[in-house]
Structure formats: C-alpha cells, structure tokens
C-alpha cells in the first residue's frame, strides 16, 4: 500500500515590500503550516547567510503563518532598496515548505517614515502640534508622539550584584582500579621505579598523571521516560489533526487520519517484535 506524506505549502503572502525599519505584519498563507511542536517549532528567516534576521512569529495555524518583519536599517548603507530572500524551517526536522517560486521581501527607502518639520517649535502642556513628513501612517490609533525636556536625565537602572558562589575544594577521588594494590600512608598505591629506592618507590601522582582511567558511563532511558515521550507525541498528533480537520478540506482530514492509523499499526508491530525477541533471549 502506497504511503503519502503531507508537506507544508506556501501559496501567497500579503505583502512583498516595506520600510527598512520593519514592523509590518507578514502573513504567509497556504496549507499544512502547523508542524509538530506548534508555534515554537516555526522559524522565518530574512536575508542570506551572514546577514540574516528572524521574523518574530506572531501566530501559526494550519493555513497561515504571521510574523513581524525585522528591522534592516543597520544593513542599509547607501543603497535605496534591497531584496532579501525569505526561508522557513518548520518542525523538529526543520523541513522547508513547498513554494511555487522563491519567497522574497524588498526593503524600500520610499516606505521609510521620515519627519521634516514640527510647528510650533516651543510648546507647553496641551499645545496642539503639527508634524509633517512622509509615510507617517493614516491610522491615528497607531501613531504616538512623545516629548521630553532636554534637561531631563533618565534614571539609570541599578545593577544587582551577582551573588558570589563559594568554591569548596572537593577531596581527591581515586579510581577503584588503583585500590586493589598495596598503598602507602596516604592511601595511594606504591610503585617501584628504576633507580629509586624499592622500599619508598615512586610517587603515585607522578606515575599516573598521563594515565586515563575514567570510563564513560552508558545511560539508558527509563520506561517512564519513554512513556512520557510517547504521550507528548500523541498530544502533538491530536493537536495537528484537530487543526487540519477543522480548517482544512475533507480530503486533507481523511489523509491525516489514514496516516495516523498506519503509524499506530507500525508502532504496535515494532513493540510486538521486541517482546518476542526478549522472550526468545530469556529462553
């Protein structure tokens, strides 16, 4: 029986250009955009390697991802416009969604907000002020103007001294391997060396200073930890399935449910085989 995997797909974006200062909400629309791990497992990156910035995630659903366009002013220099690529990494495996064409965003100086004049230049409380410029916006609810006296000095935040941790010297521990030999008055093994007094011998520390006796412990996850991981995976599957069946098409929902049935059947076969192997080893 053939198996199909549902890959995330980006169909469109709401904006393709904006101010160098960023701050606009970019919405990427498509299907299958809610990965295992949810919002925290989605990364939207602006720019190329060496000059990249993250688009702060605002919301993630099955059919869209929204994020806050990053500020690129420090990379502006003398250039007026700059087109940067947009890349996405989704889920624990950092998978890339399918796109019809490469995603890009263009930073433009013509969309950067600027202030030219303010009248009057001297004001008191409740004085009406007129500010002229470009790209200042049209929604009054999103515009704020702050005034501050030149003579005012901001209050500096007091730094809290970090507590000093007292380092207590730990007694030297000897590897169990050395405890099987005869020891001196300090509890350390006696060594016989050429050219030395055979009764006094050599110092243990000088002999074993380049000898590695420490072994690397092998840890095994407990049964409770394995069950906890399976429970987390199950919860993630239920959340993604709910989002797909609620906002996606009936075909997507049916495909998702069939995929879960196949995965559960494979998991049961694997556990059954492991139990048979254990019984055979015991016999």
């Amino acid at each position: 029986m053939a198996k199909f995997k549902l890959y995330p797909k980006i169909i469109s974006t709401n904006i393709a250009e904006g101010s160098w200062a960023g701050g606009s909400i970019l919405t990427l629309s498509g299907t299958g955009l809610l990965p295992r791990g949810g919002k925290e497992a989605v990364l939207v990156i602006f720019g190329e390697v060496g000059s990249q910035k993250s688009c702060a995630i605002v919301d993630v659903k099955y059919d869209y991802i929204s994020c806050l366009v990053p500020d690129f002013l420090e990379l502006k220099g003398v250039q007026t416009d700059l087109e940067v690529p947009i890349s996405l990494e989704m889920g624990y495996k950092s998978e890339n969604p399918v796109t019809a064409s490469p995603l890009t965003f263009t930073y433009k100086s013509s969309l950067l907000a600027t202030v030219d004049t303010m009248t009057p230049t001297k004001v008191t409380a409740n004085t009406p002020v007129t500010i002229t410029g470009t790209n200042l916006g049209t929604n009054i609810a999103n515009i704020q103007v702050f005034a501050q006296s030149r003579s005012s000095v901001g209050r500096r935040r007091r730094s809290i001294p970090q507590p000093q941790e007292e380092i207590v010297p730990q007694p030297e521990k000897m590897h169990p391997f050395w405890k099987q030999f005869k020891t001196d008055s300090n509890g350390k093994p006696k060594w016989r060396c050429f050219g030395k007094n055979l009764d006094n011998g050599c110092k243990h520390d000088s002999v074993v200073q380049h000898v590695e006796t420490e072994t690397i412990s092998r840890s095994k996850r407990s049964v409770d930890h394995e069950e906890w991981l399976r429970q987390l995976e199950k919860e993630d599957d239920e959340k993604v399935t709910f989002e797909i069946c609620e906002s996606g098409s009936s075909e997507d929902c049916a495909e998702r449910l069939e995929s879960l049935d196949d995965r559960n059947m494979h998991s049961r076969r694997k556990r059954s085989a492991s139990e048979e192997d254990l019984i055979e080893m015991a016999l």
Side-chain angles (χ1 to χ4, degrees):
M1 182 176 63
K3 293 185 178 180
F4 298 92
K5 182 176 181 179
L6 179 63
Y7 279 94
K9 181 179 181 180
I10 301 294
I11 299 175
S12 63
T13 60
N14 65 326
I15 56 175
E17 58 185 28
S19 166
W20 284 90
S24 302
I25 298 295
L26 171 67
T27 301
L28 305 161
S29 301
T31 57
L33 301 181
L34 182 64
R36 180 175 298 177
K39 176 180 176 181
E40 289 75 16
V42 176
L43 185 62
V44 181
I45 305 170
F46 275 54
E48 300 176 346
V49 177
S51 57
Q52 293 180 329
K53 289 193 175 184
S54 296
C55 189
I57 301 298
V58 176
D59 195 14
V60 176
K61 296 296 182 182
Y62 173 77
D63 55 351
Y64 75 87
I65 297 172
S66 61
C67 63
L68 192 66
V69 175
D71 181 351
F72 255 68
L73 275 173
E74 63 184 37
L75 300 175
K76 182 178 182 300
V78 297
Q79 53 194 337
T80 303
D81 299 338
L82 175 65
E83 184 182 76
V84 299
I86 301 176
S87 58
L88 286 86
E89 296 180 1
M90 306 177 64
Y92 298 131
K93 295 183 179 181
S94 299
E95 294 181 330
N96 306 117
V98 177
T99 58
S101 59
L103 301 176
T104 61
F105 186 86
T106 302
Y107 286 94
K108 291 189 172 183
S109 296
S110 60
L111 299 177
L112 186 64
T114 60
V115 173
D116 298 327
T117 62
M118 183 188 81
T119 56
T121 57
K122 295 182 179 181
V123 298
T124 58
N126 300 321
T127 300
V129 175
T130 301
I131 298 175
T132 61
T134 58
N135 299 317
L136 298 180
T138 58
N139 189 345
I140 298 178
N142 294 334
I143 301 174
Q144 291 180 303
V145 179
F146 299 91
Q148 182 178 7
S149 172
R150 292 182 179 180
S151 60
S152 62
V153 179
R155 298 178 62 183
R156 303 177 66 180
R157 182 181 296 178
R158 293 179 298 176
S159 61
I160 301 175
Q162 296 294 331
Q164 298 293 330
E165 296 184 0
E166 183 180 356
I167 300 177
V168 179
Q170 298 294 328
E172 182 181 358
K173 294 183 179 180
M174 183 175 297
H175 194 277
F177 174 79
W178 302 117
K179 296 182 179 180
Q180 59 184 317
F181 302 101
K182 293 182 179 180
T183 59
D184 56 17
S185 58
N186 296 322
K188 296 183 179 181
K190 291 183 178 180
W191 292 84
R192 292 186 177 183
C193 302
F194 293 105
K196 299 288 184 180
N197 189 312
L198 297 182
D199 294 330
N200 296 330
C202 303
K203 291 184 178 181
H204 173 75
D205 294 338
S206 61
V207 173
V208 300
Q209 60 180 343
H210 300 299
V211 178
E212 297 291 341
T213 57
E214 184 178 358
T215 57
I216 301 176
S217 60
R218 301 173 62 183
S219 59
K220 177 181 287 187
R221 292 185 296 189
S222 64
V223 176
D224 293 339
H225 184 64
E226 293 284 354
E227 181 61 30
W228 176 72
L229 291 176
R230 283 195 292 268
Q231 184 63 30
L232 285 181
E233 183 177 3
K234 181 180 178 181
E235 292 175 0
D236 286 341
D237 287 339
E238 292 176 353
K239 182 178 179 181
V240 174
T241 303
F242 176 77
E243 291 286 346
I244 293 175
C245 293
E246 182 183 37
S247 58
S249 63
S250 58
E251 291 81 2
D252 291 339
C253 183
E255 182 179 344
R256 173 64 181 176
L257 294 175
E258 183 178 354
S259 175
L260 286 179
D261 290 340
D262 292 342
R263 187 188 306 171
N264 293 334
M265 184 178 299
H266 176 73
S267 178
R268 287 194 295 270
R269 289 175 180 173
K270 186 174 182 180
R271 287 198 296 269
S272 176
S274 299
E275 292 174 358
E276 293 175 359
D277 292 341
L278 291 174
I279 294 175
E280 183 177 353
M281 290 175 63
L283 296 176

